[in-house]
């Protein structure tokens, strides 16, 4: 009883401290100690093994995925510094027009994140542009936050196949699948998320216009406009797209070629490269991101003058997102050592429900506990995924459904990405979280459940256990 209360207390304290802006490293360590002390875990073992270096330790995760975070942050930095990301955003804005401001925000963020630019770089890139659009369209900021979150924080993160997102890579590296696993059901879920998300924010904007609500400038807007690079030297948008095409091409082309012939039978160099790409879900997308970064250096003269410095800044930018994610995983690594988590795992596996619904429930709960989709997915893959494979769920379907499910209840108020997004845009939870909750929690949950319903109706995804 005390142990279960300790788990609840640790989770509640983590949520409270996150909302109060307490550093996530401090918060996760304190909450891990609360869980440990109430569950009879040795403090020394908690702090020196379970939290940092266990199978789900913070630094175990950081070490495994450091390369991907590093390469992603470097690519995002060179796209921002070269103004390639800004050029793409402006081109889409000119094409769609100010009256479609919400659609502009969603499309640009989706394009950039699917192309490999990390979420926080996209938010920083889009915000100064968004201020101008919101002012012209008289759009409430809370709806701009929601629209950009649809594009940057939902379907491109978990559902679309081929993306080098951390969620796609975690699932692939854990299950031995590739980044395209469960592609068709992922596309279905992505269409649901994008469609419902845009319908909701447009409906909210219509209500706001009727009530007389519009854009209200705050001090954060002025600071961001002063920090924005207003140089007119942005490259042509078609040239700006080339690095993203390189990233996606390097990821997708091997998959296409592997489907055209049996490369395992030969000993050609191309065959070995293609087989290597399929067997390395972390290294291969990391290489694609670095090739995209080098393409930026070759294409954009303003970047060539200080390429080493920009790469170094990108490397610096990778540290905090990596460690923030690792910190919540370290907390989750302590939680998984408790009897309460073991009882939950046993209970969820024994509940009489379809296996895919059980996957949804277990991933959702774990992601909600740690307030992180990548953290929840990593914990699920290390603790529960093998049992679901034994139930007969196909690895490709488990890959996609688990990734989509992880992107639902993760975005509760204590989610680091939610807190950071609101902080960047100078908004409070009271002002903007309701809309964020709908587009990043409710709609992804609906998309996941609809995807499971489609699979069950078609009898796809689960084979009888051997």
């Amino acid at each position: 009883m005390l142990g279960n209360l300790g788990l609840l207390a640790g989770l509640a304290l983590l949520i409270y401290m996150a909302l109060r802006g307490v550093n996530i490293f401090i918060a996760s360590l304190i909450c891990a100690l609360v869980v440990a002390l109430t569950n009879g875990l040795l403090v020394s073992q908690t702090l020196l093994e379970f939290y940092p270096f266990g199978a789900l330790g913070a630094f175990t995760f950081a070490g495994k995925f450091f390369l991907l975070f590093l390469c992603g942050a470097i690519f995002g930095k060179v796209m921002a510094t070269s103004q390639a990301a800004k050029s793409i955003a402006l081109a889409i804005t000119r094409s769609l027009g100010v009256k479609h401001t919400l659609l502009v925000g969603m499309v640009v963020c989706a394009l950039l994140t699917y192309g490999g630019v990390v979420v926080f770089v996209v938010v920083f890139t889009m915000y100064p542009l968004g201020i101008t659009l919101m002012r012209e369209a008289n759009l409430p900021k809370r709806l701009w936050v929601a629209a950009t979150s649809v594009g940057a924080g939902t379907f491109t993160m978990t559902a679309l196949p081929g993306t080098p997102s951390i969620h796609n890579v975690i699932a692939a590296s854990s299950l031995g699948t590739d980044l395209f696993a469960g592609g068709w059901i992922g596309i279905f879920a992505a269409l649901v998320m994008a469609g419902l998300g845009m319908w909701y924010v447009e409906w909210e904007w219509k209500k706001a216009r009727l009530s007389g609500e519009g854009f209200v400038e705050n001090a954060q807007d002025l600071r961001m406009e002063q920090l924005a690079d207003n140089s007119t030297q942005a490259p042509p948008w078609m040239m700006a797209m080339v690095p993203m095409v390189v990233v996606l091409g390097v990821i997708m082309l091997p998959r296409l070629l592997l489907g055209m012939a049996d490369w395992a039978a030969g000993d050609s160099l191309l065959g070995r490269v293609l087989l290597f790409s399929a067997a390395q879900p972390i290294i291969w997308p990391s290489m694609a991101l670095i090739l995209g970064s080098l393409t930026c250096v070759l294409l954009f003269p303003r970047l060539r003058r200080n390429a080493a410095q920009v790469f170094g800044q990108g490397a610096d930018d990778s540290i905090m997102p990596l460690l923030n994610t690792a910190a919540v995983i370290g907390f989750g690594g302590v939680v998984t050592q408790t009897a309460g988590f073991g009882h939950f795992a046993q209970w969820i596996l024994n509940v009489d429900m379809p296996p895919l619904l059980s996957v949804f429930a277990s991933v959702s709960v774990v992601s909600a506990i740690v307030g992180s989709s990548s953290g929840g997915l990593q914990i699920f893959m290390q603790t529960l995924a093998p049992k679901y494979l034994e139930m007969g769920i196909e690895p490709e379907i488990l890959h996609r459904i688990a990734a989509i499910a992880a992107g639902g209840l993760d975005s509760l108020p204590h989610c680091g990405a939610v807190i950071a997004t609101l902080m960047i845009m100078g908004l409070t939870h009271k002002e903007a979280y309701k809309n964020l909750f709908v587009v990043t929690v409710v709609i992804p949950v609906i998309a996941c459940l609809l995807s499971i319903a489609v699979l069950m109706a078609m009898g796809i995804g689960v084979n009888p256990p051997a």
Side-chain angles (χ1 to χ4, degrees):
M1 183 65 177
L2 177 62
N4 290 335
L5 289 175
L7 284 175
L8 293 175
L11 174 58
L13 183 60
L14 182 63
I15 293 174
Y16 174 78
M17 295 176 80
L19 290 175
R20 298 292 295 179
V22 177
N23 181 280
I24 190 61
F25 305 120
I26 297 172
S28 64
L29 278 169
I30 291 174
C31 296
L33 283 173
V34 170
V35 171
L37 292 173
T38 54
N39 281 270
L41 302 179
L42 293 176
V43 172
S44 59
Q45 197 172 23
T46 296
L47 295 180
L48 300 178
E49 182 181 339
F50 299 148
Y51 183 92
F53 299 119
L56 284 167
F59 297 110
T60 302
F61 173 87
K64 184 174 183 179
F65 293 102
F66 167 72
L67 183 64
L68 185 68
F69 273 82
L70 174 69
C71 297
I74 290 173
F75 181 63
K77 191 67 177 180
V78 298
M79 286 290 288
T81 303
S82 66
Q83 295 205 62
K86 179 181 178 181
S87 176
I88 295 168
L90 289 173
I92 294 176
T93 302
R94 288 191 295 268
S95 175
L96 295 177
V98 174
K99 67 178 181 178
H100 296 298
T101 294
L102 292 172
L103 183 61
V104 168
M106 190 276 283
V107 170
V108 175
C109 288
L111 184 62
L112 293 175
T113 50
Y114 187 70
V117 182
V118 292
V119 172
F120 292 112
V121 172
V122 172
V123 173
F124 272 113
T125 300
M126 286 298 295
Y127 185 26
L129 173 64
I131 295 169
T132 302
L133 291 174
M134 286 184 282
R135 189 180 288 126
E136 290 186 32
N138 196 27
L139 173 73
K141 286 181 68 177
R142 62 184 176 87
L143 298 181
W144 176 259
V145 174
T148 53
S149 295
V150 172
T154 61
F155 60 95
T156 57
M157 183 175 69
T158 61
L160 285 181
T163 173
S165 75
I166 184 63
H167 311 79
N168 214 13
V169 173
I170 285 174
S173 62
S174 299
L175 297 172
T177 51
D178 63 24
L179 301 182
F180 298 85
W184 70 271
I185 199 64
I187 292 172
F188 170 80
L191 291 173
V192 172
M193 285 187 236
L196 284 181
M198 286 310 302
W199 171 82
Y200 169 74
V201 293
E202 292 285 359
W203 178 64
E204 282 287 318
W205 193 12
K206 182 179 180 180
K207 286 172 54 183
R209 288 195 296 267
L210 291 174
S211 66
E213 181 187 3
F215 176 70
V216 178
E217 194 167 65
N218 61 22
Q220 181 73 352
D221 300 334
L222 299 176
R223 285 194 293 270
M224 287 300 293
E225 285 187 310
Q226 290 170 357
L227 290 172
D229 185 353
N230 294 315
S231 168
T232 58
Q233 299 178 17
W237 72 268
M238 292 187 69
M239 183 180 292
M241 287 287 296
V242 172
M244 294 173 58
V245 172
V246 169
V247 172
L248 293 175
V250 170
I251 292 172
M252 293 180 175
L253 186 58
R255 172 63 183 255
L256 295 174
L257 293 176
L258 283 168
M260 295 171 61
D262 181 10
W263 297 93
D267 192 35
S268 66
L269 176 60
L270 177 59
R272 291 197 296 270
V273 170
L274 294 177
L275 294 173
F276 176 83
S277 71
Q280 298 294 334
I282 296 175
I283 292 178
W284 192 257
S286 299
M287 291 172 58
L289 289 164
I290 286 299
L291 286 173
S293 301
L294 294 175
T295 303
C296 283
V297 175
L298 292 174
L299 289 178
F300 310 129
R302 64 178 292 169
L303 193 60
R304 286 200 293 270
R305 292 191 291 269
N306 57 347
Q309 180 183 355
V310 174
F311 273 52
Q313 292 170 347
D316 290 342
D317 290 347
S318 72
I319 299 302
M320 293 312 297
L322 174 63
L323 292 183
N324 285 340
T325 305
V328 297
I329 287 178
F331 168 74
V334 175
V335 168
T336 60
Q337 298 297 319
T338 65
F341 183 84
H343 293 154
F344 163 75
Q346 197 60 44
W347 173 79
I348 197 70
L349 290 169
N350 291 331
V351 170
D352 186 18
M353 70 170 78
L356 290 176
L357 280 178
S358 180
V359 169
F360 164 78
S362 56
V363 178
S364 296
V365 169
V366 175
S367 295
I369 289 173
V370 297
S372 167
S373 53
S374 55
L377 185 61
Q378 175 73 357
I379 293 169
F380 169 82
M381 287 297 171
Q382 293 293 317
T383 57
L384 294 170
K387 296 295 184 181
Y388 287 108
L389 292 174
E390 291 175 7
M391 291 182 186
I393 299 180
E394 297 173 7
E396 291 76 13
I397 297 299
L398 181 60
H399 171 135
R400 191 56 56 198
I401 292 299
I404 297 169
L409 294 184
D410 67 305
S411 298
L412 296 180
H414 65 300
C415 172
V418 169
I419 293 170
T421 298
L422 294 178
M423 188 180 302
I424 289 169
M425 298 196 181
L427 295 170
T428 65
H429 279 74
K430 183 178 180 180
E431 292 171 320
Y433 182 67
K434 184 193 83 169
N435 304 119
L436 267 179
F437 177 79
V438 173
V439 300
T440 63
V441 177
V442 176
I443 290 176
V445 166
I446 291 172
C448 190
L449 291 176
L450 286 176
S451 300
I452 291 171
V454 168
L455 290 167
M456 292 174 60
M458 297 177 66
I460 295 173
V462 182
N463 300 313

